[in-house]
Each structure stands twice: as structure tokens, then as C-alpha cells.
Amino acid sequence: MSLRWRSYLWKEPHPALPGEIERIETTWGVRLPGEYKRLVSLYQGMTPVPNSFNVGRSSNALSVLLTVTEHPEHETYFIQHKYDVFRPYIPPRIYPFGDTPGGEPICFDYRESLEEPRIVLVSTEAQVYPVADSFQQFLAGLYDD
């Protein structure tokens, strides 16, 4: 199933500049997945359709792809801001890229591999739950609820 994207933060897409993505990679000291970089450069601040995913025996949803561009009116959706807020509560080398409707971050988990991060959900109780073995697998597993 192919993804479509709908408005969330703005009525129109706000493409990211390549330098903004590179700045995040440099700051975090990681190489972000290529497909993620392609999608965020086009669809930051938007919602994928479909957007539901499985977490263990339950499900959740990717409500918004966090922005790599800093926007003062949407600071809480800026990827670096989200990381700075959650950093004290999550293990090192876990970095957010999306939010659930409840504000829980969906993250890249570089703890086992610096080449291919796993995808995890960090709960409001700071528990880390596995979601997918890769960003590609995460995208392929999105479904309509």
C-alpha cells in the first residue's frame, strides 16, 4: 500500500532543506535512514495515510512526522525540541521522528546498530517498546484502523 500525506501543522507542505536534515545528523552523530530523509524533506509536519501501527498486542498511530525545520509557532513539533524534552527519560541513542495522538514519541533506536536503526515507541512512562526492525518495515506495516 502506498502512503498519502495530509495536512497536520499547515494547510500546504513545508519542504525541508537538505542542510536542515544534515544538521540533525551532525548534532545527533547518526546517519538517518535514506527513506526517512526523503519523506521528511517533503512531508515534515504532515500525517501519513494510513497511519496505524502495531505495538505488541495493541496499536497506535503516527499522528505527525516531526519537523526538521524549526518553526517558532510549532516548536513542540521540532525534532530537536522533542529530543531535548525526552532525553532525560530515554536511553542514549534513541531519537524521535514522529508523535502519536497521545504525544508519545516514535523513535529511531541506534543502540544495537549505527547503520540501521530499529523503530521503537517510548511510552509516557518512559518504557521503550519495539515496533519494527527498520524504518522501511515500519512504513510497510502502516495500516488503516
Side-chain angles (χ1 to χ4, degrees):
M1 176 183 292
S2 65
L3 292 179
R4 297 179 323 278
W5 294 85
R6 63 179 163 85
S7 300
Y8 187 87
L9 295 181
W10 307 281
K11 291 182 181 181
E12 300 295 324
H14 280 273
L17 301 173
E20 293 169 324
I21 297 168
E22 291 167 5
R23 186 172 354 111
I24 296 296
E25 288 181 311
T26 300
T27 300
W28 292 352
V30 301
R31 187 167 176 83
L32 295 166
E35 182 65 3
Y36 166 76
K37 292 192 285 189
R38 186 185 76 76
L39 290 176
V40 78
S41 69
L42 298 170
Y43 305 115
Q44 66 174 340
M46 298 180 81
T47 301
V49 177
N51 69 339
S52 295
F53 61 91
N54 291 324
V55 182
R57 293 184 180 177
S58 65
S59 65
N60 212 319
L62 172 58
S63 64
V64 63
L65 191 61
L66 297 173
T67 68
V68 294
T69 305
E70 193 169 6
H71 292 277
E73 67 274 14
H74 297 295
E75 178 185 40
T76 59
Y77 295 99
F78 177 47
I79 199 167
Q80 185 62 48
H81 174 80
K82 187 77 165 184
Y83 175 66
D84 291 342
V85 168
F86 278 89
R87 181 177 17 201
Y89 309 104
I90 58 177
R93 298 196 326 246
I94 293 181
Y95 306 98
F97 68 85
D99 258 352
T100 68
E104 298 168 314
I106 305 164
C107 303
F108 295 116
D109 181 353
Y110 286 91
R111 293 178 296 173
E112 292 183 18
S113 171
L114 294 176
E115 300 300 316
E116 185 67 43
R118 291 181 175 209
I119 306 304
V120 297
L121 173 75
V122 179
S123 73
T124 53
E125 297 84 20
Q127 296 295 313
V128 178
Y129 295 99
V131 174
D133 288 336
S134 68
F135 188 67
Q136 288 284 81
Q137 187 183 61
F138 173 72
L139 294 176
L142 292 175
Y143 62 91
D144 286 319
D145 192 16

